[in-house]
Amino acid sequence: MREATMIIMAAVLGNNFVLVKFLGICPFLGVSKKLDSAMGMSIAVVFVMVMSTAATWPIQNLLLEPNGIGYMQTIVFILVIAALVQLVEIAMKKFVPALHRGLGVYLPLITTNCAVLGVCVLNIDEGYGFAQSLLNSFGAGVGFLIAMFLFAGVRGRIESNDYPESFKGIASTLIAASILSLSFMGFAGMIDGIFGM
Amino acid sequence: MSAFITPVVLVVGIGLISGIILTLAARFMAVPVDETASIIRDALPGANCGACGYAGCDDYAAALAGDPQGVSPTLCIPGGATVAQAIGEILGVDAEADAPIVAAVMCDGRSHLTRQDMDYQGYKTCASVKQFFGGPNSCKHACIGFGDCVDACQYDAIHICDGIALVDRDNCTGCTMCSKACPQNIIDMIPATNRVFVACSSKDPARQTRDVCEVGCIACRLCEKACKFDAIHVNDNVAKIDPEKCTNCGMCVKACPRDIITLIPKQKKAQTA
């Protein structure tokens, strides 16, 4: 239990995928303009991260490693994740249209997002077991959600402010993102401290 | 040699299996797409303004396709009669379009006619300044003039001119976006055939209105007496025209001692208030 909490906490705060590892910056900057679309995107990311980990971990450990081609993981993972997300989208459209209406537009957008691929690869690199991998992916997704949530709020306030013309648009967004990222760096070591490692 | 064969075979194999699964899934779990909806969607203007009461053009098209008898094809106000007719043809139902409407700003408090109580320095939007003691204007019913309506308008049909919003009737499609955006609720929708309106929304008593504005309605009821069609009435200290009864005769315009009833000239359709 303690280990599980630790993995999730570390993935959410200390190793936040967007703000500390700088993965998945594209949706982070692109879809964070409005809170509701930011939330839709983040929930889709949590969903896809957990799902693709559940698919890629067995492939790595049961198929690639025994055959000595673990180095092919990047290509194979992209292939598998893309196919999987497509499949889930088709199935979702058929069986749970309500969920498809909510997540539908965001699913294809994050099919081969680097945060999704990154979490799969990092799970293997860290040597996590299957359950640990799933926890880590879930934590990474929640971390993404928190980052999106915070940043959507920050952006909302920036937009309604009167600031110099030269900072308009992406410039102010990047500055805000870097300051937010800086604050998340403050969590480094906190997890180890709490759990007495 | 096997260093090449294993990875190639495995990756191709995985790709092939994924491909087969996806093809099968697309075949067996295909959801029939409603073609009528997409045809209707093409006929709609695509402004997603929401004047029809649905979340956007897609939503309205889907509702129309799903229930052609129950959902009225005339709800699209920007599209007007043309779009209603096009939808009617697609669905095979009668489409009698509603009379076109346009926006009218019920305030003529141009900057030299009214006063301001404060020198406002905050966010330049009507909605935010409204929170701050009801805005900088002495008249709390007046047009604030920061142009929330201008931002809302997708057709370049409303502009801030001398401190108040003015509607350009040539461009106005009657989508009601500006009316919804106005925090003062002073933009009314009136039939496009109706060329007379009272450009004041002040519900303050006459003395107070006289104090803050040189043109505001003082509820003297001279217009009521002048109107032969019982179309104008003073309620809550402000005159209002019933567009159904109004014949654009202009008698009230002549009778008004404050010149606040606006008649838009027939030839020149743009609002000259």
Side-chain angles (χ1 to χ4, degrees):
Chain A
M1 193 60 216
R2 196 179 117 126
E3 198 197 0
T5 327
M6 208 172 95
I7 288 179
I8 290 187
M9 286 287 279
V12 171
L13 295 175
N15 288 330
N16 190 294
F17 261 65
V18 180
L19 296 170
V20 178
K21 285 193 196 295
F22 304 120
L23 291 168
I25 296 291
C26 173
F28 178 65
L29 295 179
V31 201
S32 60
K33 236 178 186 165
K34 278 196 189 136
L35 191 60
D36 49 348
S37 54
M39 285 296 98
M41 183 81 186
S42 311
I43 291 165
V45 167
V46 176
F47 184 68
V48 172
M49 274 183 170
V50 173
M51 217 173 51
S52 49
T53 305
T56 52
W57 194 90
I59 286 181
Q60 171 77 14
N61 285 287
L62 302 177
L63 207 59
L64 301 186
E65 291 291 353
N67 289 303
I69 53 163
Y71 58 87
M72 289 297 284
Q73 61 175 205
T74 312
I75 294 173
V76 174
F77 283 9
I78 291 177
L79 188 68
V80 171
I81 295 170
L84 185 71
V85 173
Q86 280 292 315
L87 183 66
V88 168
E89 207 200 340
I90 293 172
M92 208 188 254
K93 207 171 180 179
K94 174 83 180 173
F95 299 113
V96 251
L99 191 62
H100 182 260
R101 265 200 297 281
L103 293 183
V105 277
Y106 303 111
L107 276 180
L109 285 177
I110 42 161
T111 308
T112 43
N113 183 277
C114 64
V116 176
L117 181 65
V119 79
C120 297
V121 173
L122 285 171
N123 281 333
I124 310 294
D125 288 354
E126 295 275 340
Y128 285 146
F130 187 62
Q132 287 171 323
S133 296
L134 287 181
L135 281 175
N136 188 40
S137 304
F138 179 73
V142 173
F144 185 87
L145 188 141
I146 289 177
M148 288 288 271
F149 181 77
L150 291 174
F151 199 55
V154 170
R155 269 186 94 160
R157 301 208 56 150
I158 295 176
E159 299 283 324
S160 60
N161 251 307
D162 195 18
Y163 56 98
E165 192 69 33
S166 50
F167 285 104
K168 288 254 153 81
I170 199 74
S172 64
T173 310
L174 284 175
I175 293 172
S178 63
I179 295 173
L180 190 60
S181 161
L182 205 62
S183 67
F184 261 72
M185 298 274 184
F187 287 118
M190 199 188 83
I191 308 300
D192 292 353
I194 290 177
F195 293 96
M197 296 275 287
Chain B
M1 197 57 194
S2 71
F4 295 104
I5 292 170
T6 329
V8 168
V9 168
L10 260 178
V11 174
V12 169
I14 291 174
L16 208 62
I17 292 169
S18 320
I20 291 170
I21 292 177
L22 276 184
T23 317
L24 290 178
R27 171 79 43 91
F28 290 111
M29 294 198 274
V31 178
V33 180
D34 197 337
E35 279 182 27
T36 331
S38 63
I39 297 172
I40 296 174
R41 176 65 187 79
D42 290 339
L44 291 169
N48 289 319
C49 65
C52 51
Y54 292 89
C57 293
D58 285 319
D59 221 27
Y60 182 42
L64 275 170
D67 185 9
Q69 303 303 324
V71 181
S72 165
T74 61
L75 296 178
C76 182
I77 291 167
T82 356
V83 167
Q85 230 161 34
I87 296 172
E89 273 167 29
I90 295 166
L91 292 174
V93 293
D94 284 339
E96 210 42 58
D98 296 343
I101 55 172
V102 289
V105 181
M106 299 304 183
C107 178
D108 192 26
R110 280 163 288 171
S111 41
H112 63 280
L113 300 172
T114 51
R115 286 189 285 113
Q116 294 210 325
D117 283 341
M118 59 173 116
D119 185 15
Y120 178 72
Q121 296 284 343
Y123 298 156
K124 296 273 192 257
T125 68
C126 306
S128 54
V129 69
K130 169 88 173 154
Q131 313 287 317
F132 193 66
F133 297 101
N137 295 326
S138 305
C139 176
K140 295 306 171 199
H141 305 279
C143 175
I144 294 169
F146 283 153
D148 284 15
C149 47
V150 179
D151 293 339
C153 184
Q154 300 183 30
Y155 303 98
D156 194 33
I158 193 163
H159 302 279
I160 300 297
C161 191
D162 202 8
I164 58 161
L166 284 180
V167 176
D168 180 351
R169 284 204 169 189
D170 289 338
N171 289 348
C172 183
T173 60
C175 73
T176 75
M177 293 290 274
C178 55
S179 178
K180 286 174 198 154
C182 180
Q184 299 284 65
N185 290 324
I186 57 168
I187 304 181
D188 279 5
M189 305 308 297
I190 60 175
T193 48
N194 208 266
R195 292 182 290 113
V196 185
F197 63 93
V198 182
C200 180
S201 308
S202 171
K203 295 183 174 56
D204 293 333
R207 250 184 88 191
Q208 204 175 330
T209 308
R210 228 186 255 278
D211 191 37
V212 295
C213 179
E214 282 178 32
V215 290
C217 177
I218 50 170
C220 63
R221 294 178 191 266
L222 286 178
C223 48
E224 270 191 25
K225 287 173 193 136
C227 185
K228 296 190 178 75
F229 304 96
D230 193 33
I232 187 161
H233 289 285
V234 174
N235 272 323
D236 290 336
N237 293 315
V238 63
K240 194 157 177 58
I241 292 173
D242 181 352
E244 303 233 318
K245 291 181 185 162
C246 181
T247 58
N248 298 325
C249 71
M251 290 308 282
C252 54
V253 181
K254 285 183 197 127
C256 184
R258 307 275 284 173
D259 286 338
I260 191 62
I261 306 178
T262 310
L263 174 68
I264 299 166
K266 206 169 195 174
Q267 301 83 359
K268 207 172 134 215
K269 271 168 92 189
Q271 181 181 336
T272 51

